[in-house]
Amino acid sequence: MVRCVNMRNQELSKIFFQIADYLEIDGVSFKPYAYRKVAMVLENLKDDVGEIYRNGGIKALCEIPGVGEGIARGIEEYLKNGKIKHFEEIKKKLPLKVDDLLKVESLGPRKIKILYRELGVKNLKELEKVVKAHKVAPLFGFGEKTEANILQGLEFLKKDKGRFLIQEILPIARDVVNKLSKLKEVDEISLAGSSRRRKETIGDVDILVVSKKPSKVMDFFVKLDGVEKVWAKGSTKSSIRMREGFDMDLRVLPRESYGAALQYFTGSKEHNIATRKIAIEKGLKLSEYGIFKGEKMIAGRKEEDVYKAIGLPYIEPELRENEGEIGAAQKGQLPKLIEKKDIKGDLHCHSNWDGGENSIEEMAQTAMNMGYEYIGISDHTKFLKIENGLDEKQILKQHDAIKKVNEKFKKQKIKFRVLHGCEANILNDGSIDIKDEVLEKLDYVIAGAHSTLKMEKKEMMKRIEKAMRNKNVDILAHPTGRIVGQRDEYQIDFDKILQIAKETGTILEINSSSRLDLRDFYIRRAKNEGVKMIINTDSHRKEQLNLMEYGVSQARRGWAEKKNIINTLPVEELLKQFK
Ligand code: DGT
Ligand code: CA
Ligand code: CA
């Protein structure tokens, strides 16, 4: 299931998310929730809102879940004028770069409001200034520690500046590839660069095309819906800036060079330098045009042929980082990477019991449609009050509800199973916030740290170790706590985590959301130590089950094979993996 990207829906969704943020900062209650809900619905709506409006006016808009008269009028305004007056007024009242400020770890709406009211902070630059001048610590509710954390958050943001999350970019890039591939002038097309290697973050998107009529392709490319600027337009290369702020390069190539160009522009640069060196050693020359022996081109049409010409088997794009893949290829020891089709279920999924969007059955149905054999419902538990965490009584009630769903499937002769787990909290002392006798009843237990993440390493390791040694804890959720572009990992000793995982049989999670945690190099270390992993999406609504592919690419970047990942197993085998 490829996510349907509809530009206008996406734009409106973004605006409503922003309105929610602004209102929250302004201290308005309830309304932010309503806007966020509509934003989420629009984000995943298959039909174009413009179309819906054209066909049925305000009334039809009101039939979209969560859309009331007021919001429908807003959508109408946007469709007519490209603006929503209410939104413009809010922005005038609070002239803040809310998007940017909210990215700073340890800054929420309440603190942003105080910083604006007290110190006039409107953007990241002004924030950095007041933090560095130590004006933040004295503010009510802040203090030295918060000030230091904000500074740390700011430094972290700078590191990833100008890069974009793969989860945000790939659907848009694919949409463009899809549109281009429908042109009769396009003979072949592929993504290249970091998006083909599925890096966590993307600098710019690279697309390669084979065409005999480049001018037609380029004309279409620079006029695509969503193009904000055209940096360059030529017959072999064009470059655009998309509305979302990232750039896309399109290169048009002759067919005979397509494979060589694909190899070259997929990168990484380090991988290319290494492959070129091997070519030189063999008396060959490798470039983006082909592989040459003297003046004669001996390969270039297909990527496989380029590798073959330098004595290597095909190397999967996710491995091309010059991290040992060339040596492994030479020795015939490349891993047989896990694939998306190997995944049989997803065990980190939230339902509407903890404030997620969808019912247990809706989540199950979606998983079934994806071809899965099982889904695990793992709602938050009671310590996480903001996430409506379930207490013991509610968990037991949910247990019965899941039993009923399974019975219903059985009656309908549907071979699909809903497993019952939870995402319990690892408290500061390493204990779990749910009683053992309840945890014992569940098919599995995921445990994760969600609070007090800035502990000293020794203390943090003691905490995690205790949780992993808990006989009811089967899976360690997002084991290092990092969030791409937002938050560094907490203070941990990963070797120690691997050792404890081995001793206790605790499974490490590869979280497919914007956490992408474990990171690729940790996955590789876990694999080498024989520690089992599970790829989960951490879905809070059914559409997010599609995030699985990002966890799979992360696993592939970490050289993981099917046998390293437990949710490739059929359900009976899977259950045997738990303590
Ligand atoms: P990004 O855009 O920063 O996420 O990363 P990439 O890998 O997409 O880098 P990009 O867009 O600058 O270039 C695409 C590919 O082109 C890159 O992965 C390898 C190749 N390439 C670019 N510049 C060089 C270079 O100076 N030498 C070599 N050998 N390859 C290069
Ligand atoms: Ca790129
Ligand atoms: Ca590029």
Side-chain angles (χ1 to χ4, degrees):
M1 288 206 306
V2 178
R3 203 175 74 144
C4 167
V5 189
N6 181 306
M7 292 297 179
R8 214 155 12 183
N9 294 5
Q10 299 307 318
E11 286 159 27
L12 271 161
S13 161
K14 216 169 152 188
I15 290 177
F16 288 137
F17 271 124
Q18 285 194 350
I19 293 180
D21 290 338
Y22 277 99
L23 291 176
E24 206 156 53
I25 289 168
D26 205 19
V28 178
S29 47
F30 304 117
K31 272 191 171 170
Y33 174 79
Y35 276 110
R36 232 165 246 142
K37 187 151 182 200
V38 173
M40 283 197 263
V41 170
L42 288 175
E43 197 175 26
N44 294 293
L45 196 66
K46 292 231 168 51
D47 303 319
D48 177 67
V49 270
E51 202 93 336
I52 295 175
Y53 176 69
R54 222 171 306 130
N55 294 335
I58 288 282
K59 208 170 145 233
L61 289 178
C62 286
E63 273 160 33
I64 301 171
V67 175
E69 168 97 23
I71 288 178
R73 293 273 169 223
I75 296 175
E76 179 183 49
E77 268 183 66
Y78 184 78
L79 294 172
K80 283 188 177 156
N81 320 319
K83 269 188 194 164
I84 300 176
K85 217 173 105 206
H86 181 48
F87 185 40
E88 300 305 314
E89 284 166 4
I90 300 174
K91 282 197 286 189
K92 218 181 262 167
K93 189 174 168 203
L94 285 171
L96 309 178
K97 285 260 182 204
V98 166
D99 265 11
D100 288 349
L101 290 168
L102 279 172
K103 277 194 203 124
V104 181
E105 206 210 338
S106 63
L107 268 196
R110 203 182 55 85
K111 287 202 168 80
I112 290 174
K113 186 182 179 184
I114 299 175
L115 287 165
Y116 173 60
R117 288 278 148 83
E118 302 295 321
L119 304 171
V121 170
K122 294 190 287 293
N123 52 44
L124 292 179
K125 222 168 141 190
E126 290 169 1
L127 178 64
E128 185 169 352
K129 228 163 120 190
V130 296
V131 167
K132 288 197 165 150
H134 298 295
K135 288 185 182 161
V136 172
L139 294 176
F140 181 73
F142 283 76
E144 297 284 338
K145 213 165 160 190
T146 305
E147 188 177 82
N149 288 345
I150 294 174
L151 187 61
Q152 213 182 351
L154 279 167
E155 303 280 310
F156 192 79
L157 282 182
K158 273 191 201 156
K159 271 200 294 192
D160 264 328
K161 204 162 187 272
R163 300 194 65 84
F164 296 79
L165 269 182
I166 184 144
Q167 288 99 331
E168 283 168 12
I169 297 300
L170 202 58
I172 305 170
R174 276 191 186 140
D175 187 53
V176 169
V177 167
N178 199 11
K179 282 182 181 143
L180 285 167
S181 67
K182 287 191 181 127
L183 298 182
K184 63 176 188 311
E185 289 83 10
V186 168
D187 298 329
E188 283 191 70
I189 185 163
S190 174
L191 283 174
S194 51
S195 40
R196 184 162 180 241
R197 302 197 315 281
R198 301 289 194 266
K199 271 192 74 157
E200 299 179 341
T201 62
I202 307 295
D204 68 356
V205 170
D206 304 278
I207 301 174
L208 303 186
V209 158
V210 171
S211 174
K212 287 185 216 75
K213 287 196 180 136
S215 66
K216 283 266 163 64
V217 181
M218 295 305 190
D219 285 344
F220 183 84
F221 180 64
V222 300
K223 287 194 194 115
L224 277 168
D225 195 12
V227 174
E228 197 175 80
K229 260 187 227 147
V230 178
W231 298 120
K233 183 176 175 244
S235 61
T236 56
K237 186 183 167 188
S238 294
S239 216
I240 54 175
R241 158 83 34 108
M242 296 300 280
R243 197 181 291 140
E244 291 80 2
F246 69 94
D247 293 345
M248 260 197 245
D249 291 343
L250 177 70
R251 290 182 177 82
V252 177
L253 308 147
R255 172 159 302 209
E256 63 273 16
S257 291
Y258 183 60
L262 198 51
Q263 199 281 326
Y264 180 87
F265 289 110
T266 295
S268 67
K269 197 172 154 185
E270 291 73 20
H271 175 87
N272 289 352
I273 291 169
T275 46
R276 212 175 319 143
K277 202 169 141 237
I278 297 177
I280 292 167
E281 282 162 10
K282 292 191 184 298
L284 303 169
K285 188 174 159 270
L286 171 59
S287 75
E288 66 256 54
Y289 303 107
I291 192 154
F292 297 86
K293 190 167 199 163
E295 293 292 298
K296 192 171 166 261
M297 182 163 147
I298 58 167
R301 200 181 176 116
K302 280 189 172 153
E303 211 177 19
E304 284 87 346
D305 300 342
V306 173
Y307 282 106
K308 205 168 154 195
I310 56 171
L312 298 179
Y314 177 75
I315 300 175
E316 299 278 2
E318 291 92 333
L319 297 178
R320 300 184 196 171
E321 299 293 345
N322 197 28
E323 293 281 351
E325 73 279 11
I326 289 173
Q330 282 169 330
K331 285 186 230 131
Q333 289 170 355
L334 282 173
K336 189 178 174 335
L337 297 181
I338 179 170
E339 293 177 45
K340 201 172 134 203
K341 67 171 171 41
D342 297 328
I343 299 292
K344 294 205 163 65
D346 189 342
L347 291 202
H348 189 158
C349 304
H350 297 268
S351 73
N352 54 4
W353 284 62
D354 77 352
E357 274 285 298
N358 298 103
S359 68
I360 294 167
E361 267 196 80
E362 284 169 333
M363 295 299 282
Q365 193 58 54
T366 309
M368 228 183 284
N369 295 344
M370 290 171 75
Y372 286 167
E373 294 174 15
Y374 48 85
I375 189 172
I377 299 296
S378 59
D379 282 331
H380 285 293
T381 55
K382 66 185 178 192
F383 181 79
L384 271 195
K385 289 200 184 65
I386 42 165
E387 300 269 10
N388 298 313
L390 311 186
D391 62 17
E392 280 84 355
K393 235 169 107 186
Q394 290 167 303
I395 292 175
L396 291 175
K397 217 170 127 197
Q398 188 179 47
H399 203 61
D400 289 335
I402 286 178
K403 218 162 130 188
K404 284 210 183 89
V405 174
N406 279 324
E407 277 161 11
K408 189 169 153 193
F409 287 157
K410 215 168 189 177
K411 248 189 229 145
Q412 297 173 340
K413 298 220 172 0
I414 296 172
K415 238 190 120 213
F416 183 88
R417 179 122 164 235
V418 183
L419 299 174
H420 191 201
C422 67
E423 184 184 12
N425 298 293
I426 304 176
L427 302 176
N428 289 1
D429 66 354
S431 61
I432 302 295
D433 65 338
I434 295 294
K435 288 196 190 98
D436 279 330
E437 61 255 41
V438 173
L439 295 180
E440 270 161 23
K441 289 207 164 66
L442 303 178
D443 292 310
Y444 65 97
V445 172
I446 305 179
H450 296 102
S451 57
T452 327
L453 303 180
K454 287 189 185 292
M455 281 184 167
E456 297 291 326
K457 191 189 270 185
K458 223 173 124 191
E459 207 186 346
M460 191 51 132
M461 283 308 299
K462 226 172 99 188
R463 173 181 180 188
I464 292 176
E465 174 162 9
K466 185 168 171 196
M468 290 173 82
R469 292 202 186 278
N470 183 313
K471 63 181 189 314
N472 289 310
V473 170
D474 301 296
I475 298 168
L476 183 63
H478 36 74
T480 75
R482 63 85 66 119
I483 299 177
V484 183
Q486 262 184 56
R487 188 166 87 199
D488 227 331
E489 64 188 35
Y490 22 77
Q491 299 289 321
I492 46 152
D493 174 350
F494 195 69
D495 283 326
K496 185 105 195 273
I497 291 186
L498 289 179
Q499 180 210 320
I500 306 164
K502 263 202 290 195
E503 277 174 39
T504 58
T506 311
I507 314 286
L508 301 185
E509 180 178 75
I510 298 171
N511 189 295
S512 315
S513 76
S514 62
R515 291 173 177 272
L516 289 176
D517 179 13
L518 298 172
R519 300 187 71 163
D520 47 11
F521 47 83
Y522 285 146
I523 294 170
R524 205 162 154 193
R525 277 162 67 182
K527 172 191 163 173
N528 291 341
E529 289 299 318
V531 169
K532 292 274 166 69
M533 292 167 275
I534 183 165
I535 308 176
N536 286 328
T537 58
D538 204 346
S539 290
H540 286 71
R541 54 198 155 96
K542 61 181 200 280
E543 291 81 8
Q544 289 178 340
L545 289 168
N546 279 325
L547 291 174
M548 183 57 82
E549 69 162 302
Y550 301 101
V552 172
S553 6
Q554 184 82 346
R556 288 166 65 86
R557 289 180 57 81
W559 294 46
E561 305 191 13
K562 186 176 172 184
K563 62 173 183 275
N564 306 120
I565 307 294
I566 66 162
N567 52 330
T568 59
L569 295 169
V571 72
E572 295 305 333
E573 292 298 313
L574 172 88
L575 290 170
K576 282 186 206 154
Q577 303 293 315
F578 300 133
K579 290 177 193 168

